[in-house]
Amino acid sequence: ISAPPPLPPVPDPTELARRAARVAAAPVALVEYQPPPGVVATAPVATAPRVGEVSLTDQAWTASPGGTYRVEQVDGAIHGLALGGGATFDLDLSAQRWLAQAGPVFLPGRQSRLDLWQAQLGWAPAGGPFALAAGRILPWAIPGATVMDGAMASLRGDAGEAGLFGGLVPEPDTLSPTRSRATAGGFWSTERRWGSDLVLREEGRLAVVASPELGTRAELEDGVTLHAGSSLDLFADARVGAGGLLHAPGYLDGARIEVDWRPAPRLFLDGGFEYGGLAVPQLFVPPAFGSLLRRGDATATLDLWWVRPGATVGFAHDAATGIERSWGGPQLEIPRFVSPAVALLGGYLEERGWLSGRSAFLQASAALPGGLRLVVRGSWSHEASLGFLGDAVDLSTSLDAPLGDRLGLRLTAMGRLGLDATGLASAATPNGVDTLATLYALF
């Protein structure tokens, strides 16, 4: 008996990664199932699409010194509910009721509040190029646009989409209707593809915006996204504004760039930079607008199969006040710690500048039987610039428990223990406990 021929050598990790990327990028054609002769095909079980979610949350926290606070909140969302004839309905709202307030809170004196983010009727005939929307619109697809009470119309084609919008803008702090804020203009988006890996998308907005803080001004915002398979994701956005009461140096209100790069099969680099050039006068508290900001950060991660070491660095600078800070430190992830269902993540951060100090954390997450998801995180922080906060130890745990196909429960508990200069807790150090329970339903 002759010896079997030798097997070819196993490809190196780079070649395996290249082959895996080609397999992942290959299109998968849909094949209609045809039962063999003599077998009766059964119709698939129809399941109603999930278009909405409702959740009930009870949150309570106690701080020392401070007191006890408690609030109950109902959140509801409906997206793309079909009404027939190409009509749809979208709703997004949140209602709060304060049961205990030991001190000042956001919007003091209001025990109850309703935030209506979206209540929109849409119409887009199947296969047609036109789309209309009216009501309280949340224009998530228009760069830089805000919630508005108005209307939006668009025309879609193979090359992209273009449209017009206009309406009154609600108050930023309460979302209450108002006639002192408004916006109107046009928007567009285009997308080009080269093969299955390279995609370039550009989207923009040109509008007239009126507000008490800045007066009536013109704004132009444009964003570009480049996706190159699994190796590169690049996003850049800039907004310029002219007219009104104020304008930024060079009329550049703000810009940002984000990069996610994979120069080698197991090396991941991501980072970004944000520029804010317009200092908006604050007419209410808390601040809701940007300022003269310069901020950047970068992270590097190396995937070594069983362990993922990494590091992060960053800086932030407020040009109006001169306040700045920088940070950096390592982190380590073990995606399969003891068991494939358990992941471990830890890190350390050194901070310099305003509110300088250092911190460290250790987090464990586990996928438990029955669809349970458990996350436990402990951290330590030391504040060195003010001199009276000292050290603090934090512990948090969260549990996500599905209660069926359309019900679920989320439980979260967080605690902080402040330590004085001797390393002991006392009545003068900040301590607190926060608990949160959310019951949600999908429909």
Side-chain angles (χ1 to χ4, degrees), residues 9 71 75 98-99 112 124-125 129 133 149 158 164 172 182 188 216 220 232 255 269 297-299 315 336 343 349:
V71 60
D75 297 283
W98 287 89
L99 303 180
S112 302
D149 298 323
D158 295 336
L164 300 173
W188 64 90
T216 301
L220 171 63
L232 178 65
L269 304 176
D297 62 81
T299 301
F315 74 94
R336 296 173 178 83
L349 207 61

PDB file of all heavy atoms in Angstrom, residues 9 71 75 98-99 112 124-125 129 133 149 158 164 172 182 188 216 220 232 255 269 297-299 315 336 343 349:
ATOM      1  N   PRO A   9       0.961  22.715   2.802  1.00  0.00           N
ATOM      2  CA  PRO A   9       1.180  23.437   4.074  1.00  0.00           C
ATOM      3  C   PRO A   9       0.012  24.377   4.381  1.00  0.00           C
ATOM      4  O   PRO A   9      -0.657  24.890   3.478  1.00  0.00           O
ATOM      5  CB  PRO A   9       2.478  24.213   3.828  1.00  0.00           C
ATOM      6  CG  PRO A   9       2.554  24.357   2.340  1.00  0.00           C
ATOM      7  CD  PRO A   9       1.942  23.096   1.768  1.00  0.00           C
ATOM      8  N   VAL A  71     -37.144  59.232  40.266  1.00  0.00           N
ATOM      9  CA  VAL A  71     -37.905  59.634  39.094  1.00  0.00           C
ATOM     10  C   VAL A  71     -38.384  58.380  38.364  1.00  0.00           C
ATOM     11  O   VAL A  71     -37.673  57.366  38.314  1.00  0.00           O
ATOM     12  CB  VAL A  71     -37.045  60.511  38.153  1.00  0.00           C
ATOM     13  CG1 VAL A  71     -35.819  59.765  37.670  1.00  0.00           C
ATOM     14  CG2 VAL A  71     -37.859  61.015  36.969  1.00  0.00           C
ATOM     15  N   ASP A  75     -40.709  55.665  28.224  1.00  0.00           N
ATOM     16  CA  ASP A  75     -40.192  55.958  26.891  1.00  0.00           C
ATOM     17  C   ASP A  75     -40.946  55.115  25.876  1.00  0.00           C
ATOM     18  O   ASP A  75     -41.172  53.909  26.089  1.00  0.00           O
ATOM     19  CB  ASP A  75     -38.698  55.637  26.802  1.00  0.00           C
ATOM     20  CG  ASP A  75     -37.873  56.498  27.731  1.00  0.00           C
ATOM     21  OD1 ASP A  75     -37.649  57.669  27.399  1.00  0.00           O
ATOM     22  OD2 ASP A  75     -37.468  55.997  28.800  1.00  0.00           O
ATOM     23  N   TRP A  98     -41.237  63.153  38.753  1.00  0.00           N
ATOM     24  CA  TRP A  98     -40.335  63.155  39.897  1.00  0.00           C
ATOM     25  C   TRP A  98     -41.127  62.834  41.165  1.00  0.00           C
ATOM     26  O   TRP A  98     -42.105  63.494  41.482  1.00  0.00           O
ATOM     27  CB  TRP A  98     -39.666  64.516  40.040  1.00  0.00           C
ATOM     28  CG  TRP A  98     -38.620  64.753  38.999  1.00  0.00           C
ATOM     29  CD1 TRP A  98     -38.803  65.310  37.762  1.00  0.00           C
ATOM     30  CD2 TRP A  98     -37.238  64.431  39.093  1.00  0.00           C
ATOM     31  NE1 TRP A  98     -37.620  65.354  37.078  1.00  0.00           N
ATOM     32  CE2 TRP A  98     -36.637  64.830  37.876  1.00  0.00           C
ATOM     33  CE3 TRP A  98     -36.446  63.859  40.078  1.00  0.00           C
ATOM     34  CZ2 TRP A  98     -35.276  64.664  37.623  1.00  0.00           C
ATOM     35  CZ3 TRP A  98     -35.092  63.695  39.834  1.00  0.00           C
ATOM     36  CH2 TRP A  98     -34.520  64.090  38.619  1.00  0.00           C
ATOM     37  N   LEU A  99     -40.660  61.804  41.885  1.00  0.00           N
ATOM     38  CA  LEU A  99     -41.300  61.399  43.139  1.00  0.00           C
ATOM     39  C   LEU A  99     -40.557  61.942  44.351  1.00  0.00           C
ATOM     40  O   LEU A  99     -41.144  62.043  45.433  1.00  0.00           O
ATOM     41  CB  LEU A  99     -41.381  59.876  43.217  1.00  0.00           C
ATOM     42  CG  LEU A  99     -42.105  59.189  42.056  1.00  0.00           C
ATOM     43  CD1 LEU A  99     -42.119  57.689  42.267  1.00  0.00           C
ATOM     44  CD2 LEU A  99     -43.518  59.723  41.900  1.00  0.00           C
ATOM     45  N   SER A 112     -43.400  67.083  36.633  1.00  0.00           N
ATOM     46  CA  SER A 112     -43.673  66.231  35.474  1.00  0.00           C
ATOM     47  C   SER A 112     -43.225  66.945  34.212  1.00  0.00           C
ATOM     48  O   SER A 112     -43.285  68.178  34.125  1.00  0.00           O
ATOM     49  CB  SER A 112     -45.166  65.900  35.380  1.00  0.00           C
ATOM     50  OG  SER A 112     -45.629  65.264  36.545  1.00  0.00           O
ATOM     51  N   ALA A 124     -44.626  57.664   1.199  1.00  0.00           N
ATOM     52  CA  ALA A 124     -43.651  57.279   0.185  1.00  0.00           C
ATOM     53  C   ALA A 124     -44.203  56.073  -0.563  1.00  0.00           C
ATOM     54  O   ALA A 124     -44.093  54.937  -0.074  1.00  0.00           O
ATOM     55  CB  ALA A 124     -42.301  56.949   0.814  1.00  0.00           C
ATOM     56  N   PRO A 125     -44.841  56.290  -1.719  1.00  0.00           N
ATOM     57  CA  PRO A 125     -45.407  55.166  -2.471  1.00  0.00           C
ATOM     58  C   PRO A 125     -44.340  54.149  -2.834  1.00  0.00           C
ATOM     59  O   PRO A 125     -43.200  54.506  -3.150  1.00  0.00           O
ATOM     60  CB  PRO A 125     -45.990  55.837  -3.719  1.00  0.00           C
ATOM     61  CG  PRO A 125     -46.162  57.274  -3.346  1.00  0.00           C
ATOM     62  CD  PRO A 125     -45.070  57.578  -2.384  1.00  0.00           C
ATOM     63  N   PRO A 129     -40.487  57.709  -6.627  1.00  0.00           N
ATOM     64  CA  PRO A 129     -39.334  58.522  -6.245  1.00  0.00           C
ATOM     65  C   PRO A 129     -39.636  59.569  -5.186  1.00  0.00           C
ATOM     66  O   PRO A 129     -38.699  60.150  -4.629  1.00  0.00           O
ATOM     67  CB  PRO A 129     -38.945  59.198  -7.562  1.00  0.00           C
ATOM     68  CG  PRO A 129     -40.242  59.335  -8.298  1.00  0.00           C
ATOM     69  CD  PRO A 129     -41.072  58.140  -7.918  1.00  0.00           C
ATOM     70  N   ALA A 133     -43.114  64.148   4.406  1.00  0.00           N
ATOM     71  CA  ALA A 133     -43.243  63.972   5.849  1.00  0.00           C
ATOM     72  C   ALA A 133     -43.705  65.285   6.442  1.00  0.00           C
ATOM     73  O   ALA A 133     -43.324  66.362   5.973  1.00  0.00           O
ATOM     74  CB  ALA A 133     -41.918  63.543   6.474  1.00  0.00           C
ATOM     75  N   ASP A 149     -40.951  71.459  13.815  1.00  0.00           N
ATOM     76  CA  ASP A 149     -42.380  71.292  13.564  1.00  0.00           C
ATOM     77  C   ASP A 149     -42.660  71.860  12.182  1.00  0.00           C
ATOM     78  O   ASP A 149     -42.798  73.075  11.999  1.00  0.00           O
ATOM     79  CB  ASP A 149     -43.197  72.032  14.626  1.00  0.00           C
ATOM     80  CG  ASP A 149     -42.947  71.486  16.024  1.00  0.00           C
ATOM     81  OD1 ASP A 149     -42.791  70.263  16.151  1.00  0.00           O
ATOM     82  OD2 ASP A 149     -42.889  72.284  16.976  1.00  0.00           O
ATOM     83  N   ASP A 158     -31.459  56.840  -8.552  1.00  0.00           N
ATOM     84  CA  ASP A 158     -30.300  55.952  -8.472  1.00  0.00           C
ATOM     85  C   ASP A 158     -29.042  56.687  -8.019  1.00  0.00           C
ATOM     86  O   ASP A 158     -28.161  56.096  -7.388  1.00  0.00           O
ATOM     87  CB  ASP A 158     -30.051  55.306  -9.833  1.00  0.00           C
ATOM     88  CG  ASP A 158     -31.197  54.390 -10.249  1.00  0.00           C
ATOM     89  OD1 ASP A 158     -31.919  53.918  -9.346  1.00  0.00           O
ATOM     90  OD2 ASP A 158     -31.374  54.183 -11.459  1.00  0.00           O
ATOM     91  N   LEU A 164     -36.342  69.379   0.146  1.00  0.00           N
ATOM     92  CA  LEU A 164     -36.535  70.645   0.837  1.00  0.00           C
ATOM     93  C   LEU A 164     -37.172  70.389   2.194  1.00  0.00           C
ATOM     94  O   LEU A 164     -37.906  69.399   2.364  1.00  0.00           O
ATOM     95  CB  LEU A 164     -37.431  71.574   0.002  1.00  0.00           C
ATOM     96  CG  LEU A 164     -36.933  71.942  -1.392  1.00  0.00           C
ATOM     97  CD1 LEU A 164     -38.013  72.714  -2.143  1.00  0.00           C
ATOM     98  CD2 LEU A 164     -35.636  72.736  -1.325  1.00  0.00           C
ATOM     99  N   PRO A 172     -34.672  74.228  22.873  1.00  0.00           N
ATOM    100  CA  PRO A 172     -33.720  73.136  23.081  1.00  0.00           C
ATOM    101  C   PRO A 172     -33.826  72.469  24.447  1.00  0.00           C
ATOM    102  O   PRO A 172     -33.544  71.273  24.570  1.00  0.00           O
ATOM    103  CB  PRO A 172     -32.356  73.814  22.911  1.00  0.00           C
ATOM    104  CG  PRO A 172     -32.637  75.060  22.159  1.00  0.00           C
ATOM    105  CD  PRO A 172     -34.000  75.497  22.566  1.00  0.00           C
ATOM    106  N   ALA A 182     -36.556  78.989  13.932  1.00  0.00           N
ATOM    107  CA  ALA A 182     -37.064  78.431  12.684  1.00  0.00           C
ATOM    108  C   ALA A 182     -35.898  78.033  11.791  1.00  0.00           C
ATOM    109  O   ALA A 182     -34.753  78.486  11.984  1.00  0.00           O
ATOM    110  CB  ALA A 182     -37.963  79.430  11.971  1.00  0.00           C
ATOM    111  N   TRP A 188     -29.288  67.085   0.485  1.00  0.00           N
ATOM    112  CA  TRP A 188     -28.964  66.166  -0.592  1.00  0.00           C
ATOM    113  C   TRP A 188     -28.048  65.072  -0.078  1.00  0.00           C
ATOM    114  O   TRP A 188     -27.395  65.206   0.964  1.00  0.00           O
ATOM    115  CB  TRP A 188     -28.283  66.911  -1.740  1.00  0.00           C
ATOM    116  CG  TRP A 188     -26.964  67.513  -1.368  1.00  0.00           C
ATOM    117  CD1 TRP A 188     -25.725  66.934  -1.450  1.00  0.00           C
ATOM    118  CD2 TRP A 188     -26.749  68.814  -0.811  1.00  0.00           C
ATOM    119  NE1 TRP A 188     -24.755  67.785  -0.980  1.00  0.00           N
ATOM    120  CE2 TRP A 188     -25.356  68.952  -0.585  1.00  0.00           C
ATOM    121  CE3 TRP A 188     -27.593  69.873  -0.473  1.00  0.00           C
ATOM    122  CZ2 TRP A 188     -24.800  70.096  -0.039  1.00  0.00           C
ATOM    123  CZ3 TRP A 188     -27.038  71.016   0.064  1.00  0.00           C
ATOM    124  CH2 TRP A 188     -25.666  71.130   0.279  1.00  0.00           C
ATOM    125  N   THR A 216     -30.626  85.630  12.549  1.00  0.00           N
ATOM    126  CA  THR A 216     -30.916  84.914  11.307  1.00  0.00           C
ATOM    127  C   THR A 216     -29.640  84.799  10.492  1.00  0.00           C
ATOM    128  O   THR A 216     -29.012  85.806  10.150  1.00  0.00           O
ATOM    129  CB  THR A 216     -31.995  85.646  10.493  1.00  0.00           C
ATOM    130  OG1 THR A 216     -33.187  85.753  11.276  1.00  0.00           O
ATOM    131  CG2 THR A 216     -32.304  84.882   9.217  1.00  0.00           C
ATOM    132  N   LEU A 220     -24.168  76.158   5.933  1.00  0.00           N
ATOM    133  CA  LEU A 220     -23.854  75.118   4.957  1.00  0.00           C
ATOM    134  C   LEU A 220     -23.056  74.035   5.664  1.00  0.00           C
ATOM    135  O   LEU A 220     -22.010  74.315   6.250  1.00  0.00           O
ATOM    136  CB  LEU A 220     -23.038  75.683   3.788  1.00  0.00           C
ATOM    137  CG  LEU A 220     -22.468  74.643   2.806  1.00  0.00           C
ATOM    138  CD1 LEU A 220     -23.586  73.877   2.108  1.00  0.00           C
ATOM    139  CD2 LEU A 220     -21.545  75.313   1.793  1.00  0.00           C
ATOM    140  N   LEU A 232     -10.652  50.278   6.062  1.00  0.00           N
ATOM    141  CA  LEU A 232     -10.695  51.705   6.313  1.00  0.00           C
ATOM    142  C   LEU A 232     -12.123  52.215   6.329  1.00  0.00           C
ATOM    143  O   LEU A 232     -12.926  51.890   5.455  1.00  0.00           O
ATOM    144  CB  LEU A 232      -9.900  52.461   5.235  1.00  0.00           C
ATOM    145  CG  LEU A 232      -9.893  53.992   5.338  1.00  0.00           C
ATOM    146  CD1 LEU A 232      -9.174  54.436   6.600  1.00  0.00           C
ATOM    147  CD2 LEU A 232      -9.272  54.618   4.098  1.00  0.00           C
ATOM    148  N   ALA A 255     -16.012  71.475  12.812  1.00  0.00           N
ATOM    149  CA  ALA A 255     -15.567  70.412  11.913  1.00  0.00           C
ATOM    150  C   ALA A 255     -15.115  69.232  12.741  1.00  0.00           C
ATOM    151  O   ALA A 255     -14.710  69.388  13.900  1.00  0.00           O
ATOM    152  CB  ALA A 255     -14.435  70.892  11.007  1.00  0.00           C
ATOM    153  N   LEU A 269      -6.629  50.663  14.415  1.00  0.00           N
ATOM    154  CA  LEU A 269      -6.350  52.037  14.824  1.00  0.00           C
ATOM    155  C   LEU A 269      -7.592  52.878  14.563  1.00  0.00           C
ATOM    156  O   LEU A 269      -8.183  52.790  13.488  1.00  0.00           O
ATOM    157  CB  LEU A 269      -5.167  52.620  14.035  1.00  0.00           C
ATOM    158  CG  LEU A 269      -3.846  51.848  14.077  1.00  0.00           C
ATOM    159  CD1 LEU A 269      -2.830  52.505  13.165  1.00  0.00           C
ATOM    160  CD2 LEU A 269      -3.314  51.771  15.504  1.00  0.00           C
ATOM    161  N   ASP A 297      -8.560  62.356  19.992  1.00  0.00           N
ATOM    162  CA  ASP A 297      -8.251  61.107  20.695  1.00  0.00           C
ATOM    163  C   ASP A 297      -7.876  60.047  19.682  1.00  0.00           C
ATOM    164  O   ASP A 297      -8.221  60.132  18.502  1.00  0.00           O
ATOM    165  CB  ASP A 297      -9.449  60.643  21.548  1.00  0.00           C
ATOM    166  CG  ASP A 297     -10.669  60.337  20.716  1.00  0.00           C
ATOM    167  OD1 ASP A 297     -10.753  59.242  20.137  1.00  0.00           O
ATOM    168  OD2 ASP A 297     -11.568  61.212  20.628  1.00  0.00           O
ATOM    169  N   ALA A 298      -7.143  59.047  20.144  1.00  0.00           N
ATOM    170  CA  ALA A 298      -6.708  57.940  19.293  1.00  0.00           C
ATOM    171  C   ALA A 298      -6.581  56.687  20.138  1.00  0.00           C
ATOM    172  O   ALA A 298      -6.213  56.744  21.314  1.00  0.00           O
ATOM    173  CB  ALA A 298      -5.378  58.262  18.608  1.00  0.00           C
ATOM    174  N   THR A 299      -6.889  55.549  19.525  1.00  0.00           N
ATOM    175  CA  THR A 299      -6.816  54.253  20.197  1.00  0.00           C
ATOM    176  C   THR A 299      -6.177  53.240  19.261  1.00  0.00           C
ATOM    177  O   THR A 299      -6.451  53.241  18.053  1.00  0.00           O
ATOM    178  CB  THR A 299      -8.223  53.762  20.598  1.00  0.00           C
ATOM    179  OG1 THR A 299      -8.824  54.718  21.465  1.00  0.00           O
ATOM    180  CG2 THR A 299      -8.143  52.418  21.313  1.00  0.00           C
ATOM    181  N   PHE A 315      -6.686  64.589  24.054  1.00  0.00           N
ATOM    182  CA  PHE A 315      -6.540  65.918  24.646  1.00  0.00           C
ATOM    183  C   PHE A 315      -7.813  66.695  24.360  1.00  0.00           C
ATOM    184  O   PHE A 315      -8.570  66.399  23.429  1.00  0.00           O
ATOM    185  CB  PHE A 315      -5.332  66.666  24.063  1.00  0.00           C
ATOM    186  CG  PHE A 315      -5.562  67.158  22.650  1.00  0.00           C
ATOM    187  CD1 PHE A 315      -6.027  68.442  22.416  1.00  0.00           C
ATOM    188  CD2 PHE A 315      -5.318  66.328  21.563  1.00  0.00           C
ATOM    189  CE1 PHE A 315      -6.252  68.892  21.125  1.00  0.00           C
ATOM    190  CE2 PHE A 315      -5.541  66.763  20.273  1.00  0.00           C
ATOM    191  CZ  PHE A 315      -6.005  68.056  20.054  1.00  0.00           C
ATOM    192  N   ARG A 336     -12.063  35.770  25.818  1.00  0.00           N
ATOM    193  CA  ARG A 336     -12.522  34.450  26.280  1.00  0.00           C
ATOM    194  C   ARG A 336     -11.769  34.108  27.565  1.00  0.00           C
ATOM    195  O   ARG A 336     -10.771  33.401  27.547  1.00  0.00           O
ATOM    196  CB  ARG A 336     -12.304  33.383  25.212  1.00  0.00           C
ATOM    197  CG  ARG A 336     -13.122  33.606  23.950  1.00  0.00           C
ATOM    198  CD  ARG A 336     -12.745  32.635  22.858  1.00  0.00           C
ATOM    199  NE  ARG A 336     -13.537  32.810  21.669  1.00  0.00           N
ATOM    200  CZ  ARG A 336     -13.292  33.714  20.723  1.00  0.00           C
ATOM    201  NH1 ARG A 336     -12.244  34.520  20.857  1.00  0.00           N
ATOM    202  NH2 ARG A 336     -14.066  33.823  19.663  1.00  0.00           N
ATOM    203  N   ALA A 343     -15.933  37.600  29.171  1.00  0.00           N
ATOM    204  CA  ALA A 343     -14.909  38.512  28.660  1.00  0.00           C
ATOM    205  C   ALA A 343     -14.440  39.416  29.785  1.00  0.00           C
ATOM    206  O   ALA A 343     -15.226  39.815  30.649  1.00  0.00           O
ATOM    207  CB  ALA A 343     -15.452  39.342  27.505  1.00  0.00           C
ATOM    208  N   LEU A 349      -5.690  54.977  33.240  1.00  0.00           N
ATOM    209  CA  LEU A 349      -5.659  56.266  32.558  1.00  0.00           C
ATOM    210  C   LEU A 349      -4.966  57.287  33.445  1.00  0.00           C
ATOM    211  O   LEU A 349      -5.316  57.432  34.626  1.00  0.00           O
ATOM    212  CB  LEU A 349      -7.081  56.728  32.248  1.00  0.00           C
ATOM    213  CG  LEU A 349      -7.274  57.654  31.035  1.00  0.00           C
ATOM    214  CD1 LEU A 349      -6.820  56.948  29.760  1.00  0.00           C
ATOM    215  CD2 LEU A 349      -8.732  58.063  30.926  1.00  0.00           C
TER     216      LEU A 349
END
